[in-house]
Amino acid sequence: MATTRLTMAGALLQFLDNQYVSYDGVEEKFVEGVYGIFGHGCVVGIGEALASQENKLPFYQAKNEQGAVHAATGFAKEHNRRRIMAVTSSIGPGALNMVTGAGTATANHIPVLLLPGDVFACRQPDPVLQQIEIPHDYTNTANDAFRSVSRYWDRINRPEQLMSAMINAMRVLTDPSETGAVTIALPQDVQGEAYDYPVEFFEKRVHYIERRIPSEGQITRLAELLKEAKKPLVICGGGVRYSEAGDELATFCERYHIPFAETQAGKGTVLWDNAYNLSGIGTTGSQAANRLAKEADLVIGVGTRFGDFTTCSKWLFQNPECKFVSVNVAPADAYKLNSCPIIADAKLTLAVLNTTAFLQGYQSHWGKQISRERELWNKEVDRLYSEEIPSSLSQVRVLGELNDHLLPASTIVVSGSGSIPSDMQRVWRTRVRGTYHMEYAFSCMGYEIAAALGAKIAHPEREVVAIVGDGAYTMLHTELLTSIQEGRKIIVMVLDNAGFHCIDNLQHSQGIVHYGNEWKRREDHTGRLTGTSLSVDYALNAESWGAVGLHADSVEELKRAVARALEEDRSTVIHCHVAPKSMTNGYESWWRVGTAEVSTNPEVEQAWKEMQTEIKKSRQF
């Protein structure tokens, strides 16, 4: 067998550069490049291989390792999981910084390949700089922290192990039912060790992402459940987006007069003005979706994980006769809520349902209730979009101005934490498919700006806008500098309410006094954070990174700022003060949290009692 002598790191890059995926007959290069930060645990290994003239994979220099993973996640999401980036770091703190990003990718079923440096496999210089020593288990390093947030984990202790490890890595990364973060730990000495690798290992490899065809039995079971239902409801999850099943879902709902509601990941797969689109569902859902969900006698989940925000902690479906069916390529998701599992591709399943003789003549009994609830909800959104608050802007008004008037319909909007996702799931009107980019499985503060950069790398011709609270901006905005470095312009809208007010709302709703969430100075006489509010100029902060910084504290200022931002050729941050507590409300939803059973505060104990009442209304599994 012909061989070529390479370092393990060099072989890794050459292998990655020859991976392709084929989906519906379209072949694409799978690995776009490598994102990361060099440190002593990787710069002379994989760093040397990246710097060599033979390497063809571009390197993107991150400013924070967590941000690097978020950028890679945002990139892969924009490519519907069919193109990815790898992310590398040094050992110790660099690697551990990536763990949060790994959890975010895995929770959202988005493929990212993580290549953290590791301690010496030979152990000769132990303990090395940044090494964590576990006295009872010397095989355990910082990289073992990735085990709980990775869909596949491996460590390359000998250079020849790379071959089986990378085949397994590709197996998981290209499998829609398994995909998420894949971690391959790279001991720093092994990265530079050479081996005679078979040339065959580097030949072009095409990974075929096959659609899982629904069986006749699955279609029969689903059709029989539907024929028995009078008021079925579809929940459109992220699987609809990744299966590219928007048209099939719209046809299904129109043909059988079935309303559908959207999860954060599924939102925008079918446009907002579709006659059967009820907008978001659940704890952060619309009034229309939540009202119909309470009456539904059959819930058809398509590509959804049935998370607690989608189901209101299994409280939302109040009809005691309600049954569940779940169409999903991932068995672990298909079995949730005691569903009838249809483990199959969303697009193919819906396409068959749209033509099957089993459902000939079927129509739901919703009648005009769908259009009535949609009309009521649209009026409520219009009201929110035009809401006036004396001497200030409401958060929802800013979203309305951006959505209705200021941003091109093709703009990709990115968010992921705080109260902004709640408002956007309810009221954002997606006018171009695939422009709503929300991370809410992990609700990871700091995802937004980094992921916006990843989205911009994926779609350089599109405007990309990160909409963040001041809390998320301060949590992680370092990839703003990378966007300047790369010449990849993004727009960042900072909605500043001087605190973590999403959590403050939750805190106060459970009878707890406002504590620790508002951005206030510590008072000498109380020793508590109850003094004057902090004042930060985020536009000025952005200018220090080399971005354009703008302010907008009125509708007119917002219009001028957005117009200028769209004209700019470099990243722009718009700092917009919004009134605290000016986000949307619950709209007939509920969410279970761990409220204290006993307290010296009677309001807390009352909240616990109310919680028990609502738990009794909820499904137990």
Side-chain angles (χ1 to χ4, degrees):
M1 182 180 292
T3 62
T4 180
R5 191 163 182 81
L6 296 167
T7 66
M8 184 271 280
L12 169 61
L13 295 184
Q14 190 168 328
F15 173 85
L16 292 178
D17 196 36
N18 284 289
Q19 303 307 298
Y20 292 77
V21 296
S22 177
Y23 188 70
D24 286 350
V26 177
E27 188 177 291
E28 299 177 84
K29 197 170 188 296
F30 189 47
V31 183
E32 166 72 17
V34 180
Y35 215 106
I37 298 177
F38 291 146
H40 75 274
C42 64
V43 69
V44 298
I46 192 171
E48 187 276 337
L50 283 164
S52 72
Q53 294 298 318
E54 291 76 20
N55 173 53
K56 299 175 183 177
L57 292 173
F59 175 70
Y60 296 87
Q61 182 195 82
K63 306 303 175 287
N64 177 283
E65 292 89 353
Q66 179 181 328
V69 185
H70 291 330
T73 301
F75 175 87
K77 183 179 178 74
E78 284 302 317
H79 282 292
N80 278 356
R81 309 190 296 196
R82 297 198 290 276
R83 294 178 70 186
I84 69 165
M85 284 192 184
V87 188
T88 192
S89 75
S90 190
I91 75 169
L96 289 175
N97 276 349
M98 295 203 297
V99 173
T100 301
T104 304
T106 293
N108 286 275
H109 297 335
I110 305 294
V112 294
L113 174 60
L114 306 181
L115 304 170
D118 209 330
V119 301
F120 277 73
C122 72
R123 302 189 184 178
Q124 179 273 324
D126 288 358
V128 299
L129 182 66
Q130 298 184 336
Q131 180 173 349
I132 295 175
E133 293 182 279
I134 309 297
H136 67 273
D137 183 356
Y138 221 68
T139 67
N140 196 325
T141 77
N143 282 332
D144 286 82
F146 286 97
R147 289 180 183 267
S148 62
V149 290
S150 299
R151 300 293 291 187
Y152 177 78
W153 185 98
D154 207 340
R155 177 180 281 125
I156 311 300
N157 284 313
R158 293 172 58 91
E160 61 266 38
Q161 292 175 348
L162 178 72
M163 293 178 285
S164 62
M166 293 314 300
I167 296 298
N168 278 311
M170 291 298 125
R171 169 182 59 82
V172 174
L173 288 166
T174 60
D175 184 346
S177 68
E178 290 290 328
T179 196
V182 166
T183 301
I184 308 295
L186 307 177
Q188 53 189 298
D189 53 342
V190 182
Q191 290 178 46
E193 291 178 3
Y195 183 76
D196 295 318
Y197 289 95
V199 172
E200 180 185 2
F201 179 60
F202 306 110
E203 292 175 353
K204 178 180 176 180
R205 182 176 278 101
V206 180
H207 305 271
Y208 293 90
I209 303 177
E210 308 284 2
R211 293 185 181 272
R212 187 158 183 167
I213 302 171
S215 69
E216 183 176 346
Q218 288 176 319
I219 295 298
T220 300
R221 291 192 293 275
L222 205 163
E224 287 176 347
L225 283 168
L226 190 54
K227 283 193 295 185
E228 294 173 359
K230 296 179 179 179
K231 291 189 172 183
L233 171 73
V234 171
I235 297 178
C236 170
V240 178
R241 171 178 179 153
Y242 302 128
S243 180
E244 299 177 352
D247 290 340
E248 287 73 16
L249 176 61
T251 299
F252 175 77
C253 292
E254 290 162 9
R255 177 160 299 179
Y256 302 119
H257 193 59
I258 300 172
F260 72 91
E262 305 165 312
T263 70
Q264 291 280 21
K267 188 174 177 69
T269 309
V270 181
L271 302 186
W272 80 277
D273 56 357
N274 181 282
Y276 293 88
N277 190 343
L278 303 176
S279 191
I281 188 171
T283 304
T284 54
S286 74
Q287 175 180 282
N290 289 346
R291 283 182 173 177
L292 267 60
K294 290 173 184 174
E295 296 183 35
D297 56 5
L298 177 66
V299 172
I300 305 172
V302 184
T304 177
R305 303 181 312 124
F306 283 125
D308 65 339
F309 262 54
T310 296
T311 69
C312 290
S313 303
K314 303 185 178 73
W315 169 94
L316 183 57
F317 312 109
Q318 298 287 321
N319 187 338
E321 303 300 319
C322 187
K323 297 179 181 179
F324 297 84
V325 60
S326 181
V327 180
N328 207 302
V329 294
D333 291 328
Y335 275 81
K336 291 174 182 173
L337 275 176
N338 201 29
S339 295
C340 170
I342 307 296
I343 303 169
D345 177 75
K347 184 172 186 174
L348 295 184
T349 302
L350 290 168
V352 175
L353 290 172
N354 288 336
T355 58
T356 181
F358 288 118
L359 294 173
Q360 187 172 0
Y362 174 79
Q363 286 272 293
S364 80
H365 293 195
W366 286 111
K368 295 183 178 180
Q369 193 172 357
I370 301 170
S371 59
R372 284 199 303 269
E373 290 295 345
R374 271 183 47 82
E375 183 178 358
L376 288 171
W377 181 243
N378 286 335
K379 288 180 178 178
E380 171 65 359
V381 174
D382 289 340
R383 181 191 70 79
L384 292 166
Y385 272 16
S386 59
E387 188 174 35
E388 297 281 355
I389 294 179
S391 304
S392 187
L393 283 171
S394 76
Q395 180 166 288
V396 189
R397 176 66 184 271
V398 173
L399 295 177
E401 292 293 331
L402 293 173
N403 192 196
D404 262 3
H405 306 299
L406 304 183
L407 295 178
S410 60
T411 301
I412 298 169
V413 290
V414 181
S415 195
S417 63
S419 59
I420 293 170
S422 305
D423 290 345
M424 291 186 68
Q425 188 182 4
R426 291 185 177 113
V427 307
W428 193 265
R429 291 166 166 168
T430 307
R431 295 177 171 87
V432 174
R433 183 176 291 172
T435 56
Y436 185 87
H437 183 130
M438 186 69 66
E439 188 289 294
Y440 212 59
F442 218 46
S443 184
C444 183
M445 294 185 73
Y447 174 82
E448 299 89 343
I449 294 173
L453 173 58
K456 186 67 175 183
I457 294 172
H459 300 294
E461 76 288 357
R462 306 273 285 276
E463 294 288 353
V464 179
V465 178
I467 306 177
V468 303
D470 49 318
Y473 181 91
T474 55
M475 188 76 70
L476 184 61
H477 61 274
T478 51
E479 299 320 296
L480 180 63
L481 179 57
T482 308
S483 76
I484 298 292
Q485 179 182 22
E486 290 287 340
R488 307 279 186 163
K489 172 206 163 185
I490 60 174
I491 299 172
V492 180
M493 285 294 313
V494 182
L495 306 188
D496 179 5
N497 58 16
F500 302 117
H501 279 274
C502 174
I503 296 303
D504 184 75
N505 289 344
L506 172 60
Q507 180 184 60
H508 198 58
S509 74
Q510 301 305 300
I512 307 169
V513 297
H514 296 287
Y515 181 75
N517 289 308
E518 299 167 297
W519 288 15
K520 294 181 178 294
R521 293 177 173 84
R522 191 174 303 280
E523 292 186 293
D524 292 337
H525 66 286
T526 65
R528 295 166 74 89
L529 296 171
T530 52
T532 57
S533 295
L534 295 176
S535 179
V536 182
D537 190 329
Y538 296 102
L540 192 59
N541 176 262
E543 289 179 0
S544 74
W545 291 109
V548 176
L550 304 173
H551 297 90
D553 288 332
S554 69
V555 171
E556 287 305 314
E557 289 178 357
L558 182 65
K559 290 178 180 177
R560 289 194 294 271
V562 173
R564 180 177 167 187
L566 292 172
E567 293 173 355
E568 288 288 347
D569 60 1
R570 59 191 167 115
S571 292
T572 301
V573 172
I574 302 174
H575 181 188
C576 182
H577 289 95
V578 295
K581 315 306 179 190
S582 63
M583 57 284 287
T584 55
N585 294 314
Y587 294 104
E588 303 187 25
S589 65
W590 181 73
W591 187 38
R592 182 176 179 176
V593 292
T595 301
E597 182 174 357
V598 295
S599 173
T600 56
N601 183 345
E603 292 185 30
V604 172
E605 291 193 335
Q606 179 60 33
W608 184 84
K609 292 177 183 177
E610 292 172 0
M611 182 75 65
Q612 306 319 301
T613 300
E614 299 306 320
I615 290 172
K616 292 176 182 177
K617 301 176 185 177
S618 306
R619 295 174 61 90
Q620 294 303 299
F621 70 100

